[in-house]
Amino acid sequence: MENLPLVSVVIPNYNRDTLIKKAVESINSQTYKNIEIIIIDDCSTDNSAETIKYLSEIYTNIRFKFLSENMGANFCRKEGVSIANGDFISFLDSDDTFLPTKLEKQMNILLDNPEIGFVTTGFGESNIKGVKSGNIHLKDLIKMNNIGGFSVILARKKIILETSALDDSLKSCQDWNFYLKMLEKSDGYRLRENLLYYSEQPDSISKNLDNVLQGYGIIKERTQLLNSKYNFYNQSELSSYQEYYLAMRYYKFKDIKNIRIHLLNSLKIEFSMTTFIYYIVSLFGYSSLRFFKEFKILVTRIIRKIR
């Protein structure tokens, strides 16, 4: 075990005193054993400080830092990486948990493939989308983040630092921005297997519309520039899809007016039958759109299972 490279697992924490113990236990239950845990507490107002100190007395591989003001999760991740001793960095949100073989399976990929910069895993219901294990290229992330959040990641610290992949100016889409920066430097690799229990809390960034729009606005501009540089897609195709993507973000907030606006914008740029159908259905109201969308997802799942 002494010859195993050290993996540093960085946990940003804010007011998760009832959840962080499970996160830490899932790390120390890994089949991969050479691990340090770095907890960066983002000026929590609950009992997180006491819980973290208690955990550090039980587990000698824990280091922690308490911030004096609230700076956001990505600042915490960046701070954690800056003090990490390992050459390999994993992230775990304090409300998520690893399955026991996660880090071992990811490290096997990284150690056998020096050209790969990071490895991700499946989580929750992500497997039903039919995505296979294999290399991840920059083009794969231009239209959407089809990988997941930070908790699925195990990456080489050197590339994280070289690419400044952790940008705390974004209020959302921080994981997507991380992937884009990393993939300009090296390919990634996706393990399809679900190796993470993912949890979404009521105060999640994805549930704040202003944060969602701010982050995606930056990603939209960045992917437009990358697409112009590398010519992955026809520019009108990408712009049309980005309007459709925005419509689907407003869908999560039940904003039928902006759903229609962005679906129509998408159609004006480039026609798509899917977008056209969604737009027509949206004219009958949000409930009709939700029913149609859920029915379409159900049919797609059934077809994939049959295949």
Side-chain angles (χ1 to χ4, degrees), residues 106-153:
Q106 289 180 298
M107 280 298 292
N108 287 341
I109 299 294
L110 286 176
L111 294 176
D112 290 342
N113 300 274
E115 76 282 2
I116 296 295
F118 66 91
V119 180
T120 68
T121 72
F123 64 95
E125 293 188 345
S126 62
N127 272 352
I128 65 174
K129 297 179 181 179
V131 177
K132 297 179 180 179
S133 295
N135 282 22
I136 305 167
H137 309 291
L138 181 58
K139 181 180 179 181
D140 301 328
L141 274 291
I142 293 296
K143 286 187 174 182
M144 71 176 78
N145 173 8
N146 57 11
I147 295 176
F150 277 100
S151 294
V152 303
I153 299 168

Side-chain angles (χ1 to χ4, degrees), residues 197-306:
Y197 284 124
Y198 169 78
S199 173
E200 186 172 78
Q201 301 300 314
D203 59 351
S204 168
I205 288 173
S206 64
K207 296 190 177 181
N208 182 305
L209 179 58
D210 290 337
N211 288 345
V212 168
L213 296 178
Q214 187 268 0
Y216 184 65
I218 294 172
I219 291 295
K220 182 179 177 183
E221 181 178 342
R222 178 162 175 74
T223 51
Q224 291 258 1
L225 291 172
L226 287 169
N227 193 57
S228 295
K229 182 177 179 180
Y230 296 107
N231 297 311
F232 292 130
Y233 299 99
N234 180 287
Q235 202 66 22
S236 62
E237 177 187 352
L238 177 59
S239 296
S240 178
Y241 184 84
Q242 288 175 330
E243 288 295 322
Y244 169 82
Y245 185 91
L246 272 170
M248 292 302 102
R249 302 288 71 73
Y250 280 107
Y251 172 81
K252 290 188 174 182
F253 294 90
K254 302 180 181 180
D255 186 340
I256 193 64
K257 179 181 177 181
N258 276 301
I259 292 170
R260 291 173 186 153
I261 287 172
H262 289 285
L263 288 175
L264 187 57
N265 287 344
S266 176
L267 289 168
K268 287 178 179 178
I269 298 169
E270 188 169 287
F271 181 82
S272 160
M273 183 56 71
T274 298
T275 305
F276 176 73
I277 293 171
Y278 275 136
Y279 177 70
I280 295 300
V281 175
S282 75
L283 297 177
F284 295 91
Y286 180 82
S287 295
S288 296
L289 182 61
R290 183 181 63 185
F291 175 81
F292 176 76
K293 195 170 187 296
E294 291 176 353
F295 177 75
K296 181 174 178 288
I297 291 171
L298 177 62
V299 171
T300 301
R301 288 178 179 176
I302 294 171
I303 291 173
R304 282 176 176 157
K305 285 183 179 179
I306 293 172

